[in-house]
Amino acid sequence: MPGDLSPVISVRDLWKVFGPKAEAVPKSEELSALGRRELMDRTGCTAAVRDVSFDIAPGEVFVVMGLSGSGKSTLVRCLNRLIEPTSGTLTFEGEDLLAADAARLRELRRLKFSMVFQHFGLLPHRRVVENVAYGLEIRGMGKTERTKKAMEVIELVGLLGYEKSYPDQLSGGMQQRVGLARALAGDPDVLFFDEPFSALDPLIRRDMQNEVIRLHHEVGKTMVFITHDLSEALKLGDRILIMRDGKMIQTGTGDELVGAPADDYVRDFVSDVNRSHVLTLRWIMRPPRPDDPLDGPVLSRDVLVHEATRVVLDSDKPIRVMENGELLGVVGNEEILGVIAAVTEGS
Amino acid sequence: MAVLEAAKTTRPPAAPPAAPATGPVWAAHRGAVVAGVVAVWVVLWALLRNRFTLTLDTASTTDLHLRINDIRDSIDAGRNSNPLFLYVFNEIRLVIDALTNTISGLIAQPAFGRPVPLLGWLGVVAVVMFVAWALGNGRVSLLAGAVFVFFGLQGLWTQAMDTLALTLAAVLVSLLIGIPLGVWAGLSDRVNRVLTPVLDFMQTMPTFVYLAPLTLFFLIGPASAVIATLIYAAPPAIRITAHGIRSVAPATVEASVALGSTPRQTLFGVLIPVARRTIVLGINQTIMAALSMVTIAALIDAPGLGQNVLKALQTLDVGTAFNAGLSIVLMAIVLDRVTTAMSERVEVARLMTPQAIARRPYLLGAGAFTTLVCVYLSYTFANYAVFPKPEGSSLGYVGDDVARVADSVTTWTQSNLTFLTQSWKDVSTAWILDPVEHLLVESPWFVVFAVAVVLSMVIGNVRAAVTTAVCLAVVIGTGLWSDTMTTLAAVLVATVLTVLIGVLVGVWMGRSRGADRAIRPVLDAAQVLPSFVYLIPFVALFGATRFTAIVAAVVYSAPIAIKLVADGIRNVSATTVEAALSAGTSTLQMIRKVQLPMAREALVLATNQGLIYVLSMVVVGGLIGAGALGYDVVAGFRQSTYFGKGLAAGLAIVMLGVMLDRVTQAASGRTGGAKKR
Amino acid sequence: MTRIGSPRGARRTARVALVATFALALAACGGAKVGEDTTSSAAPAPGGSGTAAACGTVNIAINPWVGYEADAAVVAELLQSKLGCTVVKKNLDEQVSWQGFGTGEVDVILENWGHEDLKKKYIEEQKVAVEVGPTGREGKIGWFVVPWMAEKYPDITDSANLNKYADLFKTSESGDKGQFLDGDPGFVTIDGPLIKNLGLNFKVIYAGSEAALITSFRQAEKDKKPAIGYFYSPQWFLSEVPLVNVKLPPYTPGCDADPKTVKCDYPVYNLDKIASAKFATSGSPGYDFVKKFQWTNDDQNVVAKYIAVDKMSPEDAAKKWIADNQAKVDAWFTS
């Protein structure tokens, strides 16, 4: 979990304002407090990212989630400065990213970051292998070497046999594999995903999500993943940042968001989630009452509710949630049924 | 050629200023307002008829015209001392002359100390076929070879090569300037904004207007012809290239930047390759435009087929003119098909089997070798250098026959259809043209001015009204108000006729594949056939009248209108048509209630393009009895006293063009905006 | 098979030409001047020998009417065959041809119709051109009617009677007046003022080109429709349709001085030849020949007919006429 290691990316007070005299908005307390409509009327500006701060730990999958227009795509583009932030600080591996000049920025993009796009952004006039090798090519890598490297990555993402095809001869899922391969080919430290699977069919989307999980296990890169799909966020994300109107609403692990929503917006957002698959016992345990028998089965607090359901229902005594020999709380039928019933009610 | 219209239509629709949410009063009753304005106009015309009409006699000039003459004289005198000439115009001229002479010496004219061009006919045919095959495909290669041999059989080999050489030189220069500018305009919104009105102006300006002044700066000769062609042919390359660059998916560009590409890598590695097909389309358009302009440049001694057409007309030899005109049409077809095949090459190459890919270098090598042999033969032996011509014929193997057939068709038409055409002309003139002309010419200038501004506002928007006011003010400044009104009347009538024909034929073509296949080639040919070819028969049929000019203008502009309407009808979504059919719509209802309204944007565009094409024929109309501005331009071209007046008339035509273009574009923007809401 | 030239020599020339092109482009940085850079000047080529070199290149302006082309065809043919000159024909309007004297693009105009204003400008003021004497022919501009009308209404050939027939000439263009056709905008006409000053009920309609004018006359004669307009002789079309001249009040010198009050016929033009000053002083034998060249309207009409009616190429037409008229040709080359 973050905190123990020095962060790869560290964002503080980041603003991105579009419009005339954009830089004035974050500076002025009055303007920065305005809502979207008022800001537009007063200054003609739109604040896509408002005062966002977070850290991303090495190897973490950090998901930014929000509905369209929430500023999440702008935020991720600020991280590799495809979009220039208006104010704030941005540190990458200890380096002030906003101070980097064009040449340094290019170097970072070539060696450290890469990005996967919603609409793939492939070069239609090049074959798959040439697309994958493009990033290596612009670094100045020789043809033989880059082709060899590209073929390795093509194999990694399961595209072997398609390397001679042109992008428009492939299905959407396959095209995104090309995008993924291109991003991986440069062996970057950080991968940015901008809603990479939202244009795909549900089944293919699930395959691709699993693919990302598999790759994460194999290559262990830090990933920043943008999505508007909560189940995708919960499935992939170590931690999730929820954005609304450019503002950070809440950051936390999946069970934190579901178990302790910061406000009604998040609560509403997570209401459809199958809570028993997200929440762990620590979110539903209660302090033992005097009449509770304290000799039921023992479970860890990180056990998911749906995994504990059978144990709890089978036992006639509440189970004990223990850690290091200490009793944290108990969970009885009532608590379990509370979670399960909420799901049935919700659906 | 199939896409010739894109030359002018690819102009992005003028930024449609969205109509205000709560429209002005007239918005709701637009038709009624227009009718009201016209009614008031008629009343004022009746009351104030023939007063304040700003009439200027045909033989008279104004101070402005004389002042332009003086400027002309001082330019003329300063040609060897003025630094602008020494360091700019003369330099440009020398470089372009050298380029043109080199190309011409290669294929058309004796040069390099030889009595014949470097490449004889066999060599040229071989090279053309090889290039068409290597960059296009086998079919267009055969077509090109056949057509080029046909030039020789027509007895027009040298002239065709002159035309080709000049076209190539002009295209080369156009692309050297046009593609970088287009890329720049594609990358920068600001450049695009600055360029767009300039390109509009270049394309609206009638070609005749700048021919004479150009010789002033670049003398008679290839340079003037090439630059005249450049003015006309570079805009499509610039526009289409910019459009191509702009149309590259933003995600693709972003992906390239995110991978750390430098701007240069993005430009050459992504933008240009991805836009390549579109850019080739722009090249195609430039070639077609250049070819048609090179023909007209015969008026300033540009060599080639245009000369044959013009010469033949001096002796009213329609057959010979047609023979040369046919060459031009065929050349256009070849150039169009070859460049189209080139743009499709990428897709074709993808579908090739690995064996075919492996075989290709050998085939290319063999082709290149054969070509070289032919080149050597044509370089060395007279029979392969100069196209043989049978004894006693003036035009070669088939040229005489082509001319004879064209002649007899013309003679027959002139003898047998005159009674029809004459009465048609008299009725149309009396009932349509004269009333419009009287209203425009005989009303006081301020009445017409006010009416035009108000109508621009109602049909278009405030910006269009301002443009109209400015343009008409400039027209008053030229001293040619009355002539401008006469021309405007003819232009309006011609445009209405063009649109009518466009809708009738266009709907037919849009609904029937068969009709489309049959008619489209005719339209293509009509668009490239130099108008001079059919002027004489028209004069014979209708007399030297304003109506003749209108007919010529309609013949020239109808093809583009027809094609645009046909494409508009065809593009109406199949689902909508299906839905309407399932609701029990009859054919007529389908056309009136579904297809035409949905193709409305295409209709407005057809009107706009029809107007522009009609305007470009105003000067040609002056050659066959239209008088007014067209005549003024021609007279300015021919007589030194009227140089200034001719230039002023040219400016007036441009002002008409800008005004009508803006108003129709504003109208189209409005309908587009209305549709979105 | 006939071999062409020497390939090796040609290749070298090609290379030289290419180098020269670049050199030209480079040298041009010093400021390029008109007339110095072109090879079109009639000055003898340096270092050459024989008549070819002595004559050099002659740029003949070809004005757009067939009679002129007939002149040019014969002159060009003789310049080439007798004197070994290189002839470059330039198809130009009259106006532009005169402009060409100053720029060195034109050496000679073979049939000049008046143009006092241009003479003043280019001969007297700019001194880039000189008169080379008459062509031996006269040009007549005037009013003409189609032959069938002259036959049917004999008195129509006098302008005094024209009003009687004005109604016949009404068209969609002229409204309630008779239509009077004017042709090529290249000619200075006084028809408008003339009609007004003679009190004629006619309106000038501008056909806009010679071709349109001729077609109108031709079609009118064929359909027996009325037509009256501006025309001129010599003109090849008169041999196809012999238009009849309409008598105007006779020309007296100065009667056309003020176009506003003009009431008389057009003058008779002595068609003459003009050359560039450079050509005149070049010492080229070509210039001497051009100076001597004179022929009659009939001669010109023969060649013009070969070109216009028999559709011969100008070269062939000239050769044919030269072969048939050796005596006249020889006279031009004896000093």
Side-chain angles (χ1 to χ4, degrees), chain A residues 77 80 82 106 109-110 113-115 117 119 121-126 134-135 138 166 168-169 182, chain B residues 251-263 265-266 269-270 273-274 346 349-351 357:
Chain A
R77 281 169 175 72
N80 61 357
L82 280 178
R106 265 201 299 278
R109 287 175 183 166
R110 287 177 182 184
F113 308 142
S114 57
M115 190 155 174
F117 296 85
H119 297 296
L122 301 178
L123 302 175
H125 62 291
R126 288 168 163 244
Y134 180 75
I138 57 175
Y166 285 92
D168 57 7
Q169 296 167 329
R182 178 176 62 187
Chain B
T252 311
V253 181
E254 204 175 30
S256 165
V257 175
L259 285 165
S261 300
T262 59
Q265 282 170 330
T266 305
V270 178
V274 174
V346 184
R350 266 189 211 183
L351 297 175
I357 294 174

Side-chain angles (χ1 to χ4, degrees), chain C residues 46-333:
Chain C
S49 60
T51 47
C55 178
T57 303
V58 183
N59 296 290
I60 303 180
I62 311 283
N63 289 171
W65 57 91
V66 182
Y68 190 112
E69 195 164 338
D71 294 342
V74 170
V75 169
E77 180 59 30
L78 291 171
L79 279 172
Q80 282 167 328
S81 62
K82 291 262 181 187
L83 302 175
C85 314
T86 311
V87 175
V88 180
K89 290 184 182 178
K90 303 208 164 164
N91 295 291
L92 301 170
D93 259 345
E94 295 165 88
Q95 176 61 40
V96 189
S97 309
W98 279 85
Q99 200 178 298
F101 287 138
T103 62
E105 306 235 342
V106 171
D107 291 326
V108 58
I109 293 177
L110 289 172
E111 185 180 302
N112 173 55
W113 289 59
H115 290 304
E116 293 308 321
D117 55 332
L118 294 174
K119 283 187 177 169
K120 181 157 171 280
K121 182 168 158 195
Y122 289 99
I123 296 180
E124 286 173 30
E125 290 169 11
Q126 297 192 10
K127 297 196 192 335
V128 291
V130 293
E131 296 189 64
V132 199
T135 62
R137 298 183 300 111
E138 286 179 347
K140 175 75 186 95
I141 296 176
W143 290 9
F144 290 79
V145 290
V146 278
W148 74 267
M149 289 193 91
E151 216 169 283
K152 190 164 174 194
Y153 314 103
D155 60 345
I156 204 172
T157 56
D158 189 323
S159 61
N161 302 323
L162 278 177
N163 271 346
K164 202 162 65 176
Y165 300 104
D167 279 358
L168 288 178
F169 293 99
K170 274 195 208 166
T171 68
S172 64
E173 302 306 289
S174 59
D176 50 0
K177 294 180 174 180
Q179 168 174 295
F180 182 94
L181 268 183
D182 251 18
D184 195 317
F187 292 110
V188 184
T189 71
I190 49 169
D191 301 326
L194 209 50
I195 284 170
K196 195 168 144 218
N197 298 334
L198 292 175
L200 297 176
N201 191 24
F202 278 80
K203 183 180 174 191
V204 175
I205 299 300
Y206 294 89
S209 58
E210 189 186 54
L213 185 63
I214 296 179
T215 309
S216 301
F217 277 128
R218 183 191 257 175
Q219 197 70 21
E221 175 65 11
K222 196 156 88 191
D223 299 346
K224 298 291 173 270
K225 291 267 172 58
I228 183 169
Y230 166 104
F231 213 69
Y232 30 84
S233 79
Q235 221 297 349
W236 66 272
F237 177 65
L238 294 179
S239 58
E240 183 191 324
V241 176
L243 300 176
V244 181
N245 189 244
V246 174
K247 200 160 72 67
L248 288 164
Y251 175 83
T252 52
C255 74
D256 57 352
D258 181 4
K260 288 209 171 62
T261 60
V262 66
K263 253 182 154 174
C264 60
D265 205 350
Y266 287 88
V268 170
Y269 291 101
N270 279 313
L271 308 183
D272 59 350
K273 297 162 288 185
I274 313 290
S276 71
K278 203 191 283 171
F279 183 49
T281 55
S282 66
S284 162
Y287 178 73
D288 297 332
F289 160 57
V290 167
K291 197 166 180 166
K292 279 203 195 115
F293 172 75
Q294 281 195 2
W295 61 352
T296 64
N297 280 356
D298 289 342
D299 289 329
Q300 193 197 49
N301 280 340
V302 168
V303 180
K305 182 179 158 292
Y306 288 159
I307 298 174
V309 182
D310 302 341
K311 314 239 149 106
M312 292 168 71
S313 73
E315 293 75 33
D316 293 344
K319 281 188 187 135
K320 185 163 155 65
W321 185 87
I322 290 167
D324 296 345
N325 295 274
Q326 269 306 324
K328 287 181 186 170
V329 171
D330 290 342
W332 294 331
F333 289 94

Side-chain angles (χ1 to χ4, degrees), chain B residues 73 76 79-80 90-91 98 219-220 301 307 311 315 317 379-380 382 414 546 622-623 625 631 638-640, chain C residues 1-2 4 7 21 28 32 34 66 69 91 93 95 103 105 121-122 173 184-185 187 206-209 219 311:
Chain B
D73 289 345
D76 222 5
R79 193 170 278 132
N80 277 337
N90 292 359
E91 301 293 338
L219 307 186
I220 307 142
D301 198 38
Q307 288 284 355
K311 273 277 177 53
T315 56
D317 186 350
Y379 180 81
T380 317
Q414 288 178 11
R546 290 162 293 160
L623 292 168
Y631 183 89
R638 305 292 301 274
Q639 265 189 61
S640 71
Chain C
M1 289 257 177
T2 338
I4 305 160
T21 308
V34 172
V66 182
E69 195 164 338
N91 295 291
D93 259 345
Q95 176 61 40
T103 62
E105 306 235 342
K121 182 168 158 195
Y122 289 99
E173 302 306 289
D184 195 317
F187 292 110
Y206 294 89
S209 58
Q219 197 70 21
K311 314 239 149 106

